[in-house]
Amino acid sequence: MIFRKNEKKPSNRLWIFLAMIGPGIITANADNDAGGIATYTIAGAREGYSMLWALFLITIALIVIQEMAGRMGVYTGKGLADLVRENFSIKTTFITMILLIIGNLTVTIAEFAGIAAGFELFGVSKYVSVPIAAFLIWIIVIKGSYRAVERVMLFFCVIYFTYVISGFMAGPKWDHVLKGFMVPTFKFETDYINIFIALVGTTITPWMQFYLQASVVDKGVKREKYNYLKWDIYLGTFVTDFVAMFIIIAAAATLYVNGINVDSAEEAAIALKPLAGNYAFILFAIGLLNASVLGAIILPLSTAYAVSEAFGWESGLGKKFGDAPRFFWFYTIVLLAGAAFVLIPGIHLIFVMIFSQTINGILLPIILILMLKLINNKRIMGDKVNTLYQNVLAWGTSVMLIILTALLLAGMIYPRSLDYITEMVKRI
Amino acid sequence: MYLVGEIFLSEVIGKKIYDREGESIGKLTDLVIRLGDVFPRVVALAAETAKNETTVIPFENLELFNRSTITTVILKGEVNGRQILENEMLICRDLLDKQIVDITGAKVVRVNDVKLGDVKGNLCLIAADVSFSGIMRRLGMENVSQDIMKLFGYKKAPDLIGWNYLQPLQTTESSLTLNVQRSKLSELHPSDIASIMSQIPHRERAALFDTLDLETAAEALHELEPDAQVSIIHNMDKEQASELLELMPPDEAADLLGDLPEDKAQELLNLMEADEAEDVQELLEHEDDTAGGLMTTDFLSFPPNVTVAETFKNLRLVAPDVEMIYYVYVVDDNDKLLGVLSIKDLLVSHDNSMLSEIMQDQVKSVSPDADPEDVADMISKYNFYAIPVVNDDGIIMGIITVDDIVDLLIPPASRRKTQRI
């Protein structure tokens, strides 16, 4: 008999992979958001190339945690908040959601602060740039299908390469880069430890677990395609940390070498101008803008997904506003609140940043433990629970992250606490 | 036993249960319900004893059951843990916080709380609360949330959906019993079923699908995305799958078989009735992106020399199995297309007129390898409900109906998830 050929389905593996690309790459890249870039810049400016080796740790941590979220999404067909609601008490769900909403709101504010700062580098007032950016982001998400929004975000992921170029333009000493990459160095000094903690901490965030799993579900990734998703996650993590490396290199080759200290990414961009030329400055500024915009799309979205799942509201980018009103309203409110906050005249964002780190610092251990409990539950995951090896890796990563987060919180609440710890370590 | 009017589950969970002498038996942790009736009856209580063991107390052993007091007529020592039977479910374990299908809204909702009430003297599960106030009640913050609501001028009653409009999704140990119940999902429009299917995890899709009657299943299957269709057909037993395919219009069955691996498709074809299989087989031979791939072989055809009255008589016999009955195609003995009539033409014509006298003999048609876009243009230009597909010899091979064209141009929401690259 003659069988009709299937609809133009590319049997070619590369094609399938290209179609699967999305959740992993976007989530990993969005981790390099406004706050992340500031952290990498400061690390490069203060410590030169010496922290590059930490990117190894970050890459492993990111892969371990992201793979778990992706696997749960594919094999249960449910988002993380869905699973938390169905398997833990309603109190746990509620507290997690409240923390997540507050935490995500503060991060959204940081993203819009990044947008404002990025445009101000080009001489555009924040009172113009922020409302326009907020409106454009809103329209894309409200009107776009999952696929359309994903494509927009993938486009933003490509722009990250401006950092790679500006890294090259900074003219780094490649032998130093290699040494910083290969030779782990660690100083038992408060400042150094603080930056180190921030570096690892900026990579693994509560919102990304919710976003990755929800987007895997919204995209409708099938079980048979799980291996492609895994590669999407690996590739995304690799690309993300490759970009992070070049941010550190750009800052180290210019600011560190000349002994210029910076406290933010926009300061770094301005300082780049005389050192690496106007183009390097422009590329660096575009990179910051791009990262902030991607973050400003993804954070409200992650919040809307999670809250809708937990409370059982209709959700999904493919739906019309009227079919999933609460999902889109939530998204709208978080987006607008984040944008509006930045526009308050004379606002000091430093308090918001500290508050943001605190809330997310409290939430992260909770989320990691919930995830580990879920992924090891046979009733939920069937035979796809963590293997012993995966568990050792996952628990190890989580414990490390929780310790670092605890140190970060301790350092914020009681700045001298790190000094004591380093003193103790030195005595040993 | 005297029953209170209505209670929310959250009001009694965690309450202490006392025996006849006031000894505490344990804390109420769950309620056992028996499925089968419209409103499932509460048949037993699950309680956690002081030793952290779970014990099950039959409902008939209770003396009082209300918001403030739960007492038994037996003594603590007489409670012997009864087993949970095949056709029973635990409300907290299997329903609370889970997703269920709301038949009225044709969507998936989450059970935030459960309302129990008196139905003919039995305590039954009567409704699910899917509102936010249900969550607040569970958190013991109902008053707080209502005060906040009042500030904004809301006066919100809990959003209750009667159990008779609900169908669980979860495939629990007791999923077998769900199939025994008449499936509520079958009352929905197939397109709504498909959109619900597209909202739930794959694992639960097949189970939910199994609860549908074959007729509804066949209609809903077509609305699903190809991937979901394939996985459902794969998980069914072959006999059932072939019956399902027979019930589907041949063009839809062909689409589905075209997505299956060849050996599986062949196997199912062999199981189907001969003439149904033949129709599908014919359709399978056309390329997907041509008029031939879109058409169905189900259409009404009559010879030119019959009267309107005879036509009507025959129509009543064949119409039930034909999807598109608005047009009657007039063909000769070799299936050569001579003309076309609409039902309206027949209705307004005299009973004794011959079809050849009243038919439209300038028939607009398309060739089997025409581009679907062109077919869509034709249908839209002439406002047809269907257009015949005619080969070079003037033989009618099938028709393309307007809904297939609309689906092609605007895929149904339940299919939009799949991406074509």
Side-chain angles (χ1 to χ4, degrees):
Chain A
M1 66 176 303
I2 312 164
F3 253 103
R4 176 154 32 117
K5 280 200 294 290
N6 276 347
E7 323 195 6
K8 306 184 194 83
K9 274 186 192 154
S11 51
N12 184 322
R13 284 188 167 192
L14 179 71
W15 272 108
I16 301 181
F17 176 63
L18 287 178
M20 289 307 305
I21 274 185
I25 283 194
I26 289 167
T27 312
N29 269 297
D31 275 343
N32 284 347
D33 62 350
I37 285 163
T39 311
Y40 290 125
T41 312
I42 292 165
R46 290 191 191 164
E47 307 294 339
Y49 304 116
S50 71
M51 278 192 171
L52 281 174
W53 65 272
L55 286 172
F56 274 124
L57 288 181
I58 289 171
T59 309
I60 292 167
L62 195 56
I63 281 182
V64 168
I65 307 287
Q66 286 224 101
E67 189 276 337
M68 286 202 299
R71 181 152 38 111
M72 275 198 275
V74 171
Y75 286 100
T76 62
K78 292 177 179 176
L80 182 57
D82 270 323
L83 292 176
V84 168
R85 171 75 194 269
E86 283 172 18
N87 296 286
F88 299 102
S89 74
I90 191 135
K91 275 202 182 77
T92 308
T93 312
F94 199 74
I95 291 165
T96 308
M97 284 304 127
I98 295 279
L99 286 173
L100 186 75
I101 292 166
I102 299 169
N104 283 3
L105 189 62
T106 54
V107 182
T108 311
I109 293 169
E111 308 301 351
F112 275 106
I115 292 176
F119 273 108
E120 273 167 358
L121 289 172
F122 295 115
V124 182
S125 155
K126 68 177 180 184
Y127 296 104
V128 178
S129 62
V130 169
I132 291 176
F135 178 74
L136 288 178
I137 290 168
W138 185 79
I139 277 290
I140 287 168
V141 173
I142 296 289
K143 293 286 170 212
S145 63
Y146 173 81
R147 195 68 182 144
V149 177
E150 190 182 60
R151 285 201 178 125
V152 170
M153 294 202 276
L154 282 170
F155 169 74
F156 283 119
C157 291
V158 173
I159 299 185
Y160 272 105
F161 269 84
T162 58
Y163 278 119
V164 178
I165 303 165
S166 63
F168 272 100
M169 286 175 128
K173 292 199 169 57
W174 292 105
D175 52 333
H176 290 211
V177 172
L178 202 65
K179 183 169 163 267
F181 210 82
M182 296 307 219
V183 185
T185 47
F186 201 83
K187 290 188 237 168
F188 278 103
E189 284 162 17
T190 312
D191 282 352
Y192 191 93
I193 294 176
N194 252 328
I195 295 180
F196 186 83
I197 292 171
L199 211 55
V200 181
T202 186
T203 320
I204 311 278
T205 54
W207 64 261
M208 65 172 265
Q209 318 310 331
F210 288 96
Y211 178 78
L212 178 64
Q213 206 171 321
S215 66
V216 165
V217 174
D218 200 2
K219 185 169 179 152
V221 179
K222 303 281 177 300
R223 292 166 180 214
E224 307 77 74
K225 305 267 167 67
Y226 174 66
N227 277 335
Y228 293 98
L229 180 81
K230 214 155 68 176
W231 281 104
D232 172 42
I233 288 169
Y234 295 166
L235 182 74
T237 308
F238 177 77
V239 168
T240 300
D241 291 335
F242 189 72
V243 169
M245 180 173 98
F246 276 92
I247 299 172
I248 295 180
I249 289 174
T254 50
L255 310 171
Y256 177 72
V257 171
N258 291 294
I260 300 168
N261 199 353
V262 291
D263 283 319
S264 69
E266 51 272 28
E267 269 182 48
I270 294 166
L272 273 181
K273 225 184 226 176
L275 299 169
N278 204 13
Y279 284 116
F281 155 77
I282 289 173
L283 287 173
F284 204 90
I286 287 177
L288 172 66
L289 262 179
N290 169 62
S292 308
V293 172
L294 182 62
I297 296 176
I298 241 176
L299 267 133
L301 200 54
S302 155
T303 320
Y305 271 135
V307 174
S308 302
E309 283 169 18
F311 298 141
W313 305 336
E314 302 249 325
S315 69
L317 285 169
K319 294 207 162 56
K320 295 192 181 71
F321 201 112
D323 292 340
R326 290 188 248 194
F327 169 76
F328 285 114
W329 269 116
F330 227 94
Y331 160 80
T332 306
I333 288 166
V334 175
L335 183 82
L336 285 184
F341 201 88
V342 176
L343 295 181
I344 299 171
I347 191 82
H348 283 294
L349 289 176
I350 189 74
F351 171 73
V352 178
M353 298 307 110
I354 290 174
F355 185 63
S356 174
Q357 282 184 323
T358 312
I359 294 281
N360 282 308
I362 294 167
L363 185 55
L364 187 67
I366 299 175
I367 304 279
L368 289 174
I369 289 166
L370 292 180
M371 279 176 76
L372 282 160
K373 276 187 153 172
L374 288 168
I375 200 135
N376 283 312
N377 186 332
K378 271 210 155 47
R379 213 168 37 79
I380 301 168
M381 293 296 295
D383 56 352
K384 296 294 170 193
V385 289
N386 267 3
T387 58
L388 180 66
Y389 157 77
Q390 280 171 321
N391 258 336
V392 169
L393 211 58
W395 275 106
T397 306
S398 302
V399 168
M400 184 186 80
L401 284 167
I402 291 168
I403 291 170
L404 288 176
T405 311
L407 287 174
L408 183 78
L409 289 179
M412 274 189 312
I413 296 160
Y414 188 58
R416 297 287 310 279
S417 58
L418 267 181
D419 298 345
Y420 292 129
I421 295 169
T422 47
E423 279 302 311
M424 267 166 49
V425 171
K426 274 182 183 160
R427 274 192 213 136
I428 299 162
Chain B
M1 187 185 98
Y2 171 71
L3 288 170
V4 234
E6 286 175 344
I7 321 178
F8 280 109
L9 180 70
S10 56
E11 295 173 315
V12 289
I13 288 291
K15 284 265 180 301
K16 278 209 166 125
I17 303 169
Y18 295 99
D19 75 356
R20 201 170 60 200
E21 308 211 320
E23 285 276 329
S24 161
I25 300 175
K27 272 194 190 141
L28 180 65
T29 52
D30 214 334
L31 296 177
V32 184
I33 52 172
R34 178 163 305 157
L35 296 160
D37 295 332
V38 180
F39 297 107
R41 188 158 61 94
V42 177
V43 291
L45 269 50
E48 193 176 58
T49 61
K51 295 176 200 150
N52 286 343
E53 289 164 352
T54 300
T55 176
V56 180
I57 308 161
F59 205 77
E60 48 271 22
N61 291 349
L62 291 185
E63 184 188 13
L64 286 172
F65 182 87
N66 57 40
R67 276 185 197 84
S68 46
T69 333
I70 306 174
T71 55
T72 62
V73 292
I74 49 171
L75 288 170
K76 186 175 175 180
E78 293 168 349
V79 177
N80 47 2
R82 134 189 204 288
Q83 293 303 308
I84 306 225
L85 306 173
E86 178 91 320
N87 61 341
E88 289 170 352
M89 263 169 112
L90 285 158
I91 300 187
C92 288
R93 188 193 67 186
D94 300 329
L95 280 180
L96 206 59
D97 295 328
K98 303 287 188 284
Q99 289 183 302
I100 50 174
V101 180
D102 162 16
I103 306 297
T104 43
K107 59 178 193 268
V108 182
V109 291
R110 212 176 262 292
V111 183
N112 294 332
D113 203 350
V114 169
K115 192 162 198 170
L116 306 161
D118 180 350
V119 180
K120 294 180 200 152
N122 291 316
L123 185 70
C124 292
L125 188 167
I126 52 173
D129 184 350
V130 298
S131 63
F132 196 73
S133 53
I135 294 179
M136 291 316 242
R137 189 181 317 113
R138 297 250 317 270
L139 291 163
M141 296 199 283
E142 196 181 15
N143 297 343
V144 181
S145 73
Q146 275 178 349
D147 288 349
I148 295 171
M149 290 279 199
K150 267 185 203 144
L151 273 181
F152 292 105
Y154 271 121
K155 183 92 186 74
K156 204 161 158 32
D159 202 349
L160 295 171
I161 303 175
W163 182 255
N164 47 332
Y165 297 114
L166 291 171
Q167 181 167 342
L169 277 184
Q170 292 286 339
T171 52
T172 52
E173 293 83 284
S174 48
S175 64
L176 290 172
T177 48
L178 295 180
N179 301 346
V180 177
Q181 286 183 296
R182 195 171 54 85
S183 165
K184 295 170 181 134
L185 211 54
S186 292
E187 297 164 22
L188 284 179
H189 191 283
S191 301
D192 285 336
I193 297 175
S195 81
I196 286 173
M197 290 272 177
S198 69
Q199 287 172 41
I200 59 175
H202 332 287
R203 208 193 306 184
E204 282 155 7
R205 257 178 224 173
L208 203 61
F209 201 82
D210 283 344
T211 66
L212 300 174
D213 56 73
L214 268 182
E215 197 75 41
T216 317
E219 288 175 32
L221 196 59
H222 164 60
E223 301 291 336
L224 285 173
E225 42 180 297
D227 280 342
Q229 292 177 338
V230 170
S231 74
I232 282 174
I233 287 283
H234 256 302
N235 295 331
M236 279 179 127
D237 75 57
K238 297 185 194 72
E239 290 295 331
Q240 227 182 348
S242 67
E243 261 178 72
L244 200 64
L245 288 164
E246 282 168 25
L247 282 169
M248 291 170 91
D251 57 328
E252 291 169 15
D255 284 344
L256 210 164
L257 286 170
D259 287 328
L260 287 171
E262 191 152 340
D263 51 341
K264 179 91 186 178
Q266 193 57 64
E267 193 177 10
L268 290 174
L269 266 174
N270 295 342
L271 283 170
M272 284 169 72
E273 299 217 351
D275 47 351
E276 306 263 356
E278 204 175 313
D279 280 346
V280 174
Q281 180 82 50
E282 255 170 57
L283 288 169
L284 273 168
E285 289 163 19
H286 294 278
E287 285 291 338
D288 221 5
D289 49 2
T290 63
L294 280 173
M295 72 186 182
T296 175
T297 48
D298 257 349
F299 57 91
L300 299 169
S301 60
F302 285 94
N305 51 359
V306 292
T307 61
V308 171
E310 285 169 320
T311 308
F312 270 122
K313 214 159 74 188
N314 279 310
L315 261 183
R316 287 206 181 90
L317 296 174
V318 292
D321 302 327
V322 179
E323 201 185 356
M324 169 53 80
I325 59 151
Y326 189 72
Y327 297 117
V328 169
Y329 298 94
V330 182
V331 296
D332 68 9
D333 297 344
N334 302 326
D335 275 348
K336 191 168 168 15
L337 183 60
L338 306 171
V340 66
L341 286 152
S342 68
I343 288 284
K344 187 177 174 182
D345 295 337
L346 290 173
L347 285 171
V348 298
S349 303
H350 209 279
D351 267 357
N352 301 331
S353 351
M354 289 278 181
L355 293 190
S356 54
E357 296 164 11
I358 53 171
M359 73 185 184
Q360 165 74 263
D361 51 10
Q362 292 294 318
V363 191
K364 300 278 180 221
S365 65
V366 293
S367 76
D369 49 14
D371 191 64
E373 293 284 337
D374 300 340
V375 180
D377 284 345
M378 291 274 276
I379 284 195
S380 137
K381 180 176 173 186
Y382 297 109
N383 297 326
F384 287 152
Y385 298 111
I387 194 162
V389 179
V390 173
N391 70 5
D392 299 341
D393 308 327
I395 308 284
I396 182 167
M397 330 244 328
I399 61 169
I400 298 175
T401 57
V402 65
D403 58 318
D404 288 340
I405 287 288
V406 172
D407 277 357
L408 185 85
L409 300 176
I410 313 165
S414 49
R415 283 198 214 176
R416 269 177 232 160
K417 267 192 177 175
T418 44
Q419 307 120 24
R420 308 258 175 273
I421 329 154

